[in-house]
Structure formats: structure tokens, C-alpha cells
Amino acid sequence: MSESAIITTNNVNLWYNGKRALESVSMKIPKNKVTALIGPSGCGKSTLLRCFNRLNDLIDHVKITGEITLDEKNIQEPGTDVVMLRKKVGMVFQKPNPFPKSIHENVAYGPRVHGVKDKAELDRIVELSLHHAALWDEVKDRLNDSALGLSGGQQQRLCIARTLAVEPEVILMDEPCSALDPIATAKIENLIDLLKKDYTVIIVTHNMQQAARMSDYTGFMYLGKLIECGKTNQIFEHPKEDLTENYITGRFG
Amino acid sequence: MAEKFHTELNNLKTETLEMAHLGRFMLRTAIDALIRQDNDLAESVVTRKEEIHTMEVRLEERCYQLIAMNQPMAKDMRVIACTLKVITASLRIGRYGKVIANIVKKISDQPHIANLMSIPHMADLAIEMIDDSIEAYEKDSIEAISDFSVRDDTIDSLRQSIFREGITYMMEDPKSITRCTNYILVARYLERCADHACKIAENVHYMNTGERIEIH
């Protein structure tokens, strides 16, 4: 990869209760690009994603070895400020999970936690984030309504706006469209394409067509190993590894 | 679903091979008709025109359906891309066979000049290239097409040789102009058929390796 890397993993291994879930994963995530992680269920792609903002720390009996750097700083070091790390590396989950609060409050919550008190400034951040998440036009007249009243696709874009509000560098997305219909999925995909101008996006998806459509780079994982990683057009047109070929042509998985 | 798709892909390949063999057969038969000055044999080629055209339409449609319904990737995608090229090349080869058969019907009433010059030899070489390209497609192998560049050069040389020889006979005897012009045209069509074999070979190489090559 010729682009500069924002995240680098070097020989990362991870065990849940002694069971190995990641094995010697070394890869580079290029800055301002969309990187997709694909592979069959249980191959470790979500586990790897959660390493990038240390979300696995929240799980008991997890052991991680190896090095993961963000902006060339090892995020595995004991002194790492995990709250700041998660501000820099935001996450959007499979199912939209808005807070049971107003639309405005969902987006303003993060900046407020990080010290923004001025109402005008919060309003500015909310509007900007909703614009970036391509949701502003749909909700600008009902910012004080409950976020739970939005459709699934709108809720997911609200979650993206909530992530953007704290100005992350990297956005992790774990199957962000799997609970959405095709139209809502298309909106999220268009949004991700726009977001890469300002952010680095790492997306886990089961949908290979989606990975092919959206990403610049693709990593194929199998049984905890990163089998192959490269430019998306190369991976989907002529993968180097037979295992990748067999997976993406539907011969297993 | 993947199993069903791969079965359909195999069936597509089998039927495309049938079309490729028909195209090759039309060319071979037209050349045989030319050599033997056999109008009936030439007519038998012309009558296959509709058949090969129908195959082209049906098989292309199948390719588009497989793409639309299955969004194939990696080698599956490359097989369909290659198959589309084989379909087009086979149609063209078959149509050149038909065009040569029509020439036979026009010039079969007079004896050959210079025993058809190098046309029979050139036809053998071109048809061997077609055979090898079809076999490479069938067997997923690039072994038989590795020397296509050299063989294509030989075909080009033969076409030029037939052109020069034809011009010589025409200058010697203006009554031979019609026949020699047709020989030159046949040589040109054979060269184009060999080019289509090269196109198939390039695409079989892409199908098997994912790398693009150009055979000059």
C-alpha cells in the first residue's frame, strides 16, 4: 500500500478465555480510505475491528499481544487514554443504537462529555454533524423529537452523526447496513463514500458486493488470520490466494 | 446458491464450446469447399448462418443474466468476461466461413490459379490456432497458446505473401483479377480469424491468471 497508514497492526494475537481469535495479524490501514474486512462468520473481523479502539478491553479474560499503532503511537500501552482513543476512533454498530433522547441530544451528547458547554457551539456541531451524515434535511424541523421515532436507516445515520460530532480520525463500522433495507443501505454507502474525504473508514461486512462497491482496500480473514489484503479491485478481480478466491466465489463460507 | 451458479456457469461454458466448434466448422468447411470447388458444400456453410447467430444472442443473454443475478467475482467473473469474448470471436469466425463460402459460389466455375497459392496452408495454420484457443478455453490451460505471438506473425507473413503473389498474377494476366482479388480477400479473412483466435487466447490467459496480455 503506497498511501500513508493511519493504523498499523504488527503481529497481533488475541485470545478469548484462552481460545485464539486472532493470529499474527499484520496490516496497514491507509488514511482517508475505506478498508473493508470480509470473511465468514467467526473469522475474527469484528474482533480485529474492536482492537482498533480497544473495545475488547470491556470483555473479561481477553489477552492481546502484538502492536497496534494509531498515528504511530502504540494504543496497547498501559498509559493510553482509552476515552481519548475512542474519541479519535469512533464506532457504528450493526443495529442502530440511538440514545432514548432527542435527535439533538443524541448528537450533542459526545461533544458535551468532551467539554463543550456553549449552546451555540453545540448547535453548530449538531447541524454540521447531521449535514455530514446526510440527515440534516430530514430532521432539521424536528430536532427535539425522540430519536427512536426515526426509521432504521435514519437512526443509523444519526449514529454516524453522533460519531462525527466528536471529530474522530477513524470510523469503525461493524455491519452498518445489515439491519437496513436496500434504499437505506444505498444512503449509508453514499455517505461512507463522502466521509472518506475527511475520515478513515474501516468497515466489517458480510456483503461482498458491498465491500466491492464501497471500499478502496479489502482484507480477507479466515480462522483468525488475515489471509490477504490489497486493493479492492485486485482482491475481487484476481485474488492471489486460493482461499480468498474460493470464499469470494461462494465455494465456501 | 453458489453450487447452482457454478453448475450454470459450467453449462454456459459447454454451450459456448459448442458455438466455438460450429464457428470453426463453418470456416473449415468453407475452405474445403474452396479447395474442392464444391458449391453444395459451400451452400451448407451459408445455411448455418442463422444457427450461429441465434447461439450468439442466446449465450450473450445467459452471460448477462448470470452477471445480473449472481454478481460474480474473481475467476467466476473472469470466466464470464472471457466467455463473452469467445462468443463474439466464434460468431466472427463462423461469419468469415460464410463469406468465404459465398466467394466459392462465385469462383467455382474456373480452375484454381497457382493451386490457390498458400491459402490451404494458411488456413491449416489459422484453424490450428482456433483449435488451440478453444482447447485452452475448455481446459483452463494456457500451455497451447503460449506461442501464439510467433504463429500470428507467420499468418501475417503468409497474407502478405499471398497479396504479393496475387498482384503478380494479376499483372501477368488481367483475366485473373477477379479470382486473385478473391484469393487476397480469403487470405485477409483467414488472417482476421487468426486474430480472433489470438483474442480468445488473450482472454483465456486473463481468465486463468487475472493478468492482461496482448498478442501482437
Side-chain angles (χ1 to χ4, degrees):
Chain A
M1 291 178 192
S2 54
E3 283 89 354
S4 66
I6 189 165
I7 292 177
T8 304
T9 71
N10 188 14
N11 201 25
V12 169
N13 297 278
L14 184 145
W15 291 263
Y16 290 122
N17 281 320
K19 186 176 180 302
R20 201 172 196 178
L22 292 179
E23 191 175 336
S24 306
V25 176
S26 297
M27 73 183 300
K28 290 179 175 174
I29 305 290
K31 196 172 182 176
N32 292 108
K33 299 285 174 193
V34 178
T35 300
L37 295 173
I38 60 168
S41 295
C43 70
K45 48 192 192 300
S46 291
T47 299
L48 179 63
L49 195 74
R50 293 156 70 93
C51 286
F52 298 145
N53 63 354
R54 284 186 51 178
L55 219 55
N56 291 312
D57 290 11
L58 305 175
I59 302 167
D60 292 337
H61 310 298
V62 167
K63 182 186 161 196
I64 304 175
T65 63
E67 191 183 64
I68 304 169
T69 64
L70 172 70
D71 293 329
E72 298 179 352
K73 284 175 72 176
N74 188 354
I75 63 169
Q76 291 297 109
E77 282 181 358
T80 303
D81 181 342
V82 178
V83 175
M84 282 311 288
L85 172 67
R86 291 179 191 150
K87 179 178 178 293
K88 280 186 178 179
V89 185
M91 191 155 189
V92 176
F93 295 88
Q94 187 170 8
K95 279 176 76 174
N97 54 353
F99 304 135
K101 293 172 180 288
S102 70
I103 295 166
H104 184 282
E105 192 54 26
N106 261 274
V107 185
Y109 189 86
R112 190 180 289 123
V113 166
H114 285 285
V116 180
K117 302 293 181 202
D118 181 58
K119 185 177 180 309
E121 176 62 4
L122 281 173
D123 287 348
R124 191 192 67 79
I125 293 172
V126 168
E127 182 174 344
L128 192 67
S129 303
L130 288 169
H131 267 298
H132 277 170
L135 190 59
W136 174 253
D137 288 342
E138 293 167 53
V139 300
K140 63 185 176 191
D141 298 325
R142 48 175 171 145
L143 291 174
N144 293 318
D145 289 4
S146 169
L148 301 178
L150 297 173
S151 71
Q154 288 172 327
Q155 287 187 10
Q156 194 63 306
R157 279 180 285 149
L158 180 66
C159 292
I160 293 171
R162 191 173 67 186
T163 305
L164 300 179
V166 295
E167 297 178 331
E169 292 178 35
V170 179
I171 303 170
L172 310 177
M173 296 189 171
D174 194 352
E175 296 269 6
C177 302
S178 63
L180 306 181
D181 64 60
I183 292 169
T185 296
K187 284 186 178 169
I188 300 282
E189 288 182 7
N190 290 339
L191 174 59
I192 290 170
D193 197 47
L194 294 174
L195 289 176
K196 73 178 180 187
K197 289 195 196 88
D198 301 309
Y199 309 94
T200 301
V201 179
I202 310 171
I203 181 168
V204 160
T205 177
H206 272 113
N207 183 331
M208 279 179 292
Q209 278 73 34
Q210 185 175 58
R213 277 195 302 268
M214 289 173 35
S215 65
D216 303 295
Y217 291 88
T218 297
F220 168 61
M221 296 188 69
Y222 186 62
L223 299 177
K225 292 180 188 167
L226 181 70
I227 303 297
E228 187 171 355
C229 189
K231 287 196 169 175
T232 295
N233 57 359
Q234 178 256 314
I235 295 285
F236 286 103
E237 193 181 340
H238 50 98
K240 293 191 178 84
E241 301 295 328
D242 288 346
L243 209 53
T244 317
E245 170 90 37
N246 290 339
Y247 178 70
I248 65 175
T249 55
R251 286 175 170 83
F252 77 92
Chain B
M1 284 310 287
E3 203 173 315
K4 183 171 173 254
F5 167 65
H6 289 122
T7 305
E8 286 178 12
L9 200 56
N10 285 336
N11 292 343
L12 172 75
K13 225 176 141 183
T14 305
E15 288 177 44
T16 303
L17 282 164
E18 282 172 23
M19 181 182 173
H21 287 301
L22 174 58
R24 184 257 187 221
F25 172 81
M26 288 171 73
L27 181 67
R28 176 74 262 174
T29 309
I31 293 296
D32 289 343
L34 177 69
I35 294 167
R36 290 187 228 152
Q37 297 186 298
D38 185 335
N39 276 351
D40 292 338
L41 195 57
E43 183 56 30
S44 75
V45 174
V46 176
T47 56
R48 306 294 293 267
K49 182 186 79 170
E50 288 304 322
E51 187 183 340
I52 198 163
H53 181 67
T54 306
M55 283 173 122
E56 181 224 9
V57 173
R58 195 185 71 234
L59 289 171
E60 270 193 12
E61 184 69 30
R62 290 261 299 280
C63 289
Y64 300 144
Q65 278 174 2
L66 284 175
I67 293 169
M69 306 302 285
N70 299 279
Q71 294 99 43
M73 289 176 172
K75 191 165 181 193
D76 293 344
M77 181 276 293
R78 301 199 306 268
V79 168
I80 297 181
C82 178
T83 299
L84 279 164
K85 295 288 185 184
V86 173
I87 292 166
T88 304
S90 302
L91 178 75
R92 299 273 158 80
I93 290 167
R95 273 166 46 177
Y96 280 124
K98 185 210 77 175
V99 173
I100 292 169
N102 280 330
I103 288 175
V104 172
K105 290 196 282 183
K106 278 190 260 174
I107 63 170
S108 61
D109 56 338
Q110 298 281 319
H112 292 313
I113 293 171
N115 213 14
L116 281 172
M117 302 186 274
S118 301
I119 286 175
H121 176 55
M122 185 182 179
D124 287 344
L125 296 185
I127 290 166
E128 269 175 30
M129 288 176 76
I130 294 167
D131 286 340
D132 288 346
S133 66
I134 296 172
E135 188 185 322
Y137 172 70
E138 181 180 7
K139 295 183 176 168
D140 279 357
S141 160
I142 54 173
E143 201 178 325
I145 55 177
S146 58
D147 59 350
F148 261 38
S149 188
V150 178
R151 292 158 75 176
D152 194 45
D153 286 348
T154 307
I155 292 283
D156 288 346
S157 302
L158 281 167
R159 185 188 69 81
Q160 283 169 20
S161 153
I162 290 167
F163 177 78
R164 282 196 306 272
E165 203 177 341
I167 295 286
T168 307
Y169 289 122
M170 285 191 265
M171 287 192 301
E172 282 173 4
D173 178 9
K175 283 193 221 126
S176 70
I177 288 176
T178 303
R179 301 187 69 73
C180 287
T181 305
N182 279 310
Y183 291 169
I184 289 168
L185 281 173
V186 170
R188 169 70 181 146
Y189 299 149
L190 287 171
E191 185 216 358
R192 291 300 298 133
C193 288
D195 286 344
H196 286 301
C198 290
K199 249 319 155 219
I200 294 176
E202 286 171 1
N203 280 280
V204 169
H205 191 279
Y206 172 68
M207 177 177 85
N208 283 303
T209 66
E211 288 166 15
R212 295 219 154 269
I213 57 161
E214 201 171 338
I215 299 170
H216 295 288

